[in-house]
C-alpha cells in the first residue's frame, strides 16, 4: 500500500467508527437518562429559530414554561412518523396531559417539501396541539445537530417521491427550562408511553 492509500483507508475507518458511535448515541431509548447530564442550556437541545405551521417564527424560548416532547420527521414519511405522532397524541390523552402540561413538537427534517401549510394539515390530523416546525435547510441542520438527532436524505426513485429522509425515531422529553430529560421510542403502545411520560413528569394520578 502506498502511504496516501493507507491514509485514505485509515480515515475511512475513523469515519465509520464515528458514525457507529453517533448511531449508538441516538438509537438507545432513554440513553440520556438524567437531566443533570445536560448542562444548563443543554448538551441536547439548545437554541433554534424555526417557522411554525401558522408561519410564525418560533425559538426555543417560546417553548419555555412547559415541558415539551420533540420529535423529528417528515410529512411524507411512510410509517414511522404517522405512528409516532399517533402514539404521542394517544399517550397524552391516556395520561390526561394537555398542552399546558406538555407541548408536543414535530420538527421537519424535509424542509424542502414541508412548508408550514403542509405541516399544518399533517400535524392537525393527529392533534391540534402539536407545534409543527420547519425552516431553511441550514436552520433544520442546526436543530438536528443540537438534539444529536439524525437525518439523511436517501434517493428513492421507486417511491414516487424521489427521495425519503432516513431519520432518528426518538422523542426527546425536555423540561420547562428547555433542558433535556430523556428519550422515548414512541412506536408502540400508547398506554405504555402514557405511563412513562407521567412517571418522567412526576404526575402521580
Ligand atoms: Ni418518519
Amino acid at each position: 500500500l502506498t502511504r496516501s492509500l493507507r491514509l485514505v483507508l485509515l480515515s475511512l475507518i475513523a469515519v465509520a467508527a464515528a458514525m457507529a458511535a453517533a448511531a449508538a448515541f441516538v438509537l438507545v431509548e432513554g440513553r440520556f437518562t438524567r437531566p443533570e447530564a445536560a448542562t444548563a442550556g443543554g448538551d441536547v437541545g439548545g437554541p433554534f429559530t424555526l417557522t411554525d405551521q401558522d408561519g410564525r417564527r418560533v425559538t426555543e424560548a417560546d417553548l419555555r414554561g412547559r415541558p415539551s416532547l420533540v420529535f423529528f420527521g417528515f410529512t411524507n414519511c411512510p410509517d414511522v412518523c404517522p405512528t409516532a405522532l399517533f402514539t404521542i397524541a394517544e399517550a397524552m390523552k391516556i395520561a390526561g396531559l394537555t398542552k399546558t402540561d406538555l407541548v408536543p413538537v414535530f420538527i421537519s427534517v424535509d424542509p424542502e417539501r414541508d412548508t408550514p401549510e403542509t405541516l399544518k394539515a399533517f400535524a392537525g390530523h393527529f392533534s391540534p396541539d402539536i407545534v409543527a416546525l420547519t425552516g431553511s435547510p441550514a436552520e433544520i441542520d442546526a436543530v438536528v445537530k443540537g438534539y444529536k438527532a439524525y437525518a439523511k436524505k436517501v434517493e428513492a426513485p421507486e417511491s414516487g417521491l424521489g427521495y425519503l429522509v432516513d431519520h432518528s425515531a426518538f422523542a426527546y422529553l425536555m423540561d420547562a427550562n428547555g433542558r433535556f430529560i430523556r428519550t422515548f421510542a414512541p412506536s408502540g403502545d400508547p398506554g405504555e408511553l402514557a405511563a412513562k411520560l407521567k412517571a418522567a413528569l412526576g404526575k402521580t394520578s
Side-chain angles (χ1 to χ4, degrees), residues 108-122:
S108 174
V109 291
D110 187 6
E112 290 166 57
R113 292 189 296 213
D114 286 343
T115 62
E117 297 73 26
T118 309
L119 283 176
K120 188 166 187 159
F122 179 73

Side-chain angles (χ1 to χ4, degrees), residues 6 14 47-48 89 120 177 194:
R6 251 199 327 266
F48 63 77
K120 188 166 187 159
N177 294 312

Side-chain angles (χ1 to χ4, degrees), residues 68-144:
S68 56
L69 189 61
V70 179
F71 188 81
F72 291 86
F74 66 114
T75 64
N76 282 308
C77 184
D79 48 27
V80 171
C81 293
T83 303
L85 291 190
F86 173 79
T87 305
I88 289 168
E90 283 300 303
M92 284 186 62
K93 274 186 219 160
I94 293 167
L97 298 169
T98 68
K99 64 181 175 183
T100 57
D101 302 307
L102 179 68
V103 192
V105 179
F106 180 73
I107 300 180
S108 174
V109 291
D110 187 6
E112 290 166 57
R113 292 189 296 213
D114 286 343
T115 62
E117 297 73 26
T118 309
L119 283 176
K120 188 166 187 159
F122 179 73
H125 179 71
F126 300 98
S127 164
D129 296 338
I130 295 172
V131 173
L133 301 171
T134 188
S136 70
E139 288 167 347
I140 296 299
D141 277 353
V143 70
V144 165

